[in-house]
């Protein structure tokens, strides 16, 4: 593994950390930034852990705007958490200011690094087969959205324009097919056909935003299970991480993406697609958890569209993996040449299974909504 640890000491100094570095471990789960857990020993012998992250500038082109958003959002969360009697050091991230006052520092080769606290006594996971913990993950993202419900979205930059505009994602796929720069289009005709056959789904939410039929909220937009820190002792989802894409968006983006990732019976990059399916028990757990904390703020239209959002976000993600494969793998980190194609297969297999289960998902949703009405 290519552990890019050499600059860690320089980065630490830029953030005023002068303790002795005792351990560096890489956190593998993200597809975009490079993340490390770094431990230091303080003069009194105590260990203090931080997260060091190298920002992917290909994806986040303006680090000032990116960090502006994150600092504003975490400051808001901190206030609300304190007002509710919580512990802001554990329930949100705290980013460090570098000695020059900025929330990132620039090292050799224009590498942009940022540092935040590491929330001790927590764990994160890539999959869950425990309904109770998955309920907790829904409750955590529902709470996150509720805490941001009075945050002014116009104070945020769009870190990635049209991030969940599925119509634009579809157009990017069409462009990739047309250009075929990696000469792969012929080998993925079935995948392309699957994507093109569902074009009409792309405009459903986009059109409803334009018509004012769905409220724009401040949303996380990347609500994978592994973006939640669970308390080791209580299994509660106490802290939401990966705040790079917190922007104005739809509750449906957050809900749908959580189901896409967490209610799949297989991993996002499982090679055997026969293992891929939508777990209805996990769906029920998540929707119940989510509505238990966000429920009263959602409109009936939003609630009605929750099952569809799971399909749409899965489809959109599959399109993005396919587009990146056609473009020669320039966006997502990959660990082997077909990785994006494998990811696309799992997403499309999940879309097909969700299509078979939409009615059951709607019935489950209605039952949970009735339970958490107030
Ligand atoms: C990326 O950064 P990470 O791995 O949490 C991506 C998401 C995708 C996800 C697919 C900024 O998330 O949009 O849904 O991969 N993030 C960005 O696993 O593009
Ligand atoms: Mg992310």
């Amino acid at each position: 593994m290519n552990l890019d640890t050499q600059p860690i000491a320089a980065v630490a100094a830029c953030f005023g950390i002068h303790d002795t570095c005792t351990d560096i471990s890489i956190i593998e789960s993200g597809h975009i930034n490079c993340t490390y857990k770094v431990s230091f020993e303080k003069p009194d012998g105590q260990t203090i852990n931080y997260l060091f992250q190298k920002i992917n500038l290909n994806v986040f082109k303006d680090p000032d705007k990116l960090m502006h958003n994150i600092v504003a959002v975490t400051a808001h969360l901190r206030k609300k958490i304190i007002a509710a009697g919580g512990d802001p050091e554990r329930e949100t991230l705290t980013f460090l200011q570098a000695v020059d006052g900025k929330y990132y520092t620039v090292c050799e080769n224009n590498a942009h690094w940022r540092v935040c606290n590491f929330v001790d006594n927590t764990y994160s996971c890539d999959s869950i087969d425990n309904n109770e913990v998955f309920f907790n993950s829904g409750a955590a993202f529902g709470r996150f959205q509720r805490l941001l419900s009075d945050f002014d979205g116009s104070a945020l930059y769009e870190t990635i324009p049209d991030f969940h505009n599925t119509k634009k994602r579809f157009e990017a796929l069409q462009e990739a097919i047309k250009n075929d720069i990696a000469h792969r289009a012929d080998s993925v005709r079935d995948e392309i056909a699957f994507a093109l056959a569902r074009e009409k789904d792309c405009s459903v939410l986009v059109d409803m935003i334009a018509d004012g039929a769905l409220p724009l909220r401040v949303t996380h937009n990347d609500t994978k299970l592994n973006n939640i820190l669970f308390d080791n002792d209580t299994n509660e989802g106490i802290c939401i991480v990966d705040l790079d894409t917190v922007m104005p968006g739809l509750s449906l983006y957050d809900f749908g993406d959580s189901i896409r990732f967490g209610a799949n019976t297989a991993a996002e990059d499982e090679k055997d697609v026969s293992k891929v399916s939508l777990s209805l028990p996990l769906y029920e757990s998540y929707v119940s958890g989510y509505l238990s904390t966000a429920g009263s703020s959602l409109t009936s239209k939003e609630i009605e569209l929750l099952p569809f959002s799971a399909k749409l976000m899965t489809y959109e993600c599959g399109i993005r993996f396919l587009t990146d494969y056609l473009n020669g793998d320039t966006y997502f980190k990959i660990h082997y040449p077909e990785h994006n194609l494998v990811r696309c297969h799992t997403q499309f297999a999940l879309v097909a299974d969700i299509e078979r289960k939409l009615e059951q998902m709607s019935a489950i949703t209605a039952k949970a909504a009735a339970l958490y009405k107030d």
Side-chain angles (χ1 to χ4, degrees), residues 197-228:
R198 286 158 181 79
E199 179 178 5
K200 69 170 183 0
D201 287 336
C202 298
S203 49
V204 174
L205 298 188
V206 181
D207 290 351
M208 289 180 86
I209 295 174
D211 294 349
L214 289 170
L216 265 189
R217 303 177 182 277
V218 175
T219 49
H220 183 279
N221 296 306
D222 185 10
T223 48
K224 298 204 289 200
L225 180 60
N226 56 24
N227 283 330
I228 304 173

Side-chain angles (χ1 to χ4, degrees), residues 29-33 59-60 160 163-164 169 221-222 224 226-227 242 244-245 257 260-261 268 317 320-321 331-332:
S29 53
H31 298 341
I32 306 292
N33 300 309
V59 171
F60 299 108
I160 302 178
F163 192 56
H164 281 308
R169 296 291 188 185
N221 296 306
D222 185 10
K224 298 204 289 200
N226 56 24
N227 283 330
D242 194 358
D244 292 331
T245 51
D257 197 52
R260 170 190 81 74
F261 191 85
E268 190 184 66
C317 197
R320 292 176 63 196
F321 289 140
Y331 186 90
F332 295 105

Side-chain angles (χ1 to χ4, degrees), residues 224 256-262 264 268 313-314 317 347 350:
K224 298 204 289 200
D257 197 52
S258 287
I259 298 302
R260 170 190 81 74
F261 191 85
N264 186 352
E268 190 184 66
M313 288 298 101
T314 308
C317 197
Q347 301 309 291
L350 188 59

Side-chain angles (χ1 to χ4, degrees), residues 35-46:
T35 311
Y36 306 90
K37 177 186 175 188
V38 187
S39 307
F40 294 87
E41 191 182 294
K42 298 211 285 193
D44 63 4
Q46 273 194 7

